[in-house]
Amino acid sequence: MPRIVIELTNRCNLNCGHCFDERHAATGDLPLAVLDKVLLEGKSCGIEQVSFTGGEPTIHRRFKEIIERVAEAGYQFSFVSNGVSFPRIYPLVLKHRRWFVGVTFSLDGAREETHDRLRGSGSYRRVMRAASICVVRDLPFTFNMVLTTQNRNEIGEMVSLAERLGSGGVRFGHLMPTPETALRKLDLSPEERRKLESEIWPLKKSASIPVGMAPGYFSEVPFSPCGPLKLEEYNLDYEGNLTLCCQLSGHSGKNGGTDIMGNLNELSLTEACERFHLRVATYLADKRDKFKRGEFSELDHFPCWYCLKYLGKTSWLSSFPNHPWNASNEIYSKETHT
Amino acid sequence: MMLNETFRPHREVVDTKLDDGEVVLLHLDSKTYYSLNPTGERIWQGLKEGLLLGEISRRLREEFDVDEETAARSVLDLVKELCEQNLALPDSKSS
């Protein structure tokens, strides 16, 4: 089902060591006029579901109005959350549960000490409180775990934890390397990523709940399509920019020319979606050409890494010669893919 | 178990109060959920505050308009069950 991922705010009530700086820069909330434009035009663009992210989406100053407007407009909604505000906002979700698809709680360790090391003291128990509410109030929830050097040994434990807590599933995702994650030594090497993937895939079959991976895992097929490339997912940042991808939105600071299709303060959603479709077509053609020229490297089989390079967001790696993703010396310095 | 004793919540228990006064307990070791009604919530709150079971019982009498014996029985029964489920422990400081 086509959906739009909306970054409601880049404010956050946590300051996690592995998050993009821009995602907790605390510079703004999405204006409601932009949301209204999305809700008004979304269905004619094929959008049926709205998924909120951030920052921490539930601390948008007008979150209540947002949920009410989304429900009134007849869109299904979901959101990603660190769980901190959930005890406060869940009555609102209950009120509109007809439209509620589910909440994904970020849980970056099966063990309390691991999660809290990455996300701050007490944050694990806050996720547990949020999960408790969901279980008792019968609200669907899942967990998302970003794989880092800190939690790499807890994959099986995480699946077991999710099963026992009544989660509807667990999804693992690779960390997008940034200068900050490099300094904190959180990034896994390509080989380490593949090793973890080889642990995760069997769990898809053996676990009693759905287990999956977010786009970005190694793919033999060069054109492994993610939501945006299948034209099934649009991404809107808190400033009203329709961007290529939510995984990379905010990477390397504010979204720039290569990411942005247009700003909904100036364009209609329909116009921005048309630009998005053209941009994806260009992207795919560029990738096909690169593949034909025999320039597709082993690392390019990690799709999000490929996009990171394509969008010119890897130049910082030159300051980290020993970084595991620097080994191939194949850094793109081009930032001309507009 | 006596009314002049104190008990405390197990440190691996996460409690969450809901909008209708109910409390959900999640034991992080067993990953098991338990639910307490509003009366149970008041008893749980008393344990968190380190009150003697007798003091918790007195509070119940005041808040829920029940007789002394009923209040005491409610406290003792629930705390016994909480201990059996490893959700609460005798406080070593109690007399």
Side-chain angles (χ1 to χ4, degrees), chain A residues 177-178 181-182 187-188 305 316-317 320-327:
Chain A
T178 65
T181 61
D187 300 321
L188 295 163
W305 175 252
W316 59 271
L317 267 175
F320 295 88
N322 296 321
H323 190 278
W325 289 78
N326 212 0

Side-chain angles (χ1 to χ4, degrees), chain A residues 80-138:
Chain A
V80 178
S81 175
N82 57 35
V84 173
S85 314
F86 199 73
R88 176 177 57 80
I89 62 99
Y90 83 87
L92 176 68
V93 177
L94 276 176
K95 185 178 170 190
H96 299 288
R97 68 181 306 155
R98 178 184 166 200
W99 303 104
F100 178 61
V101 177
V103 54
T104 298
F105 295 119
S106 301
L107 185 61
D108 290 326
R111 300 171 201 161
E112 184 170 5
E113 62 271 23
T114 306
H115 178 87
D116 284 3
R117 197 182 310 130
L118 286 159
R119 291 183 164 263
S121 178
S123 55
Y124 179 88
R125 291 189 178 222
R126 286 169 157 171
V127 177
M128 296 301 115
R129 285 199 173 88
S132 300
I133 293 169
C134 288
V135 167
V136 172
R137 291 291 185 254
D138 198 22

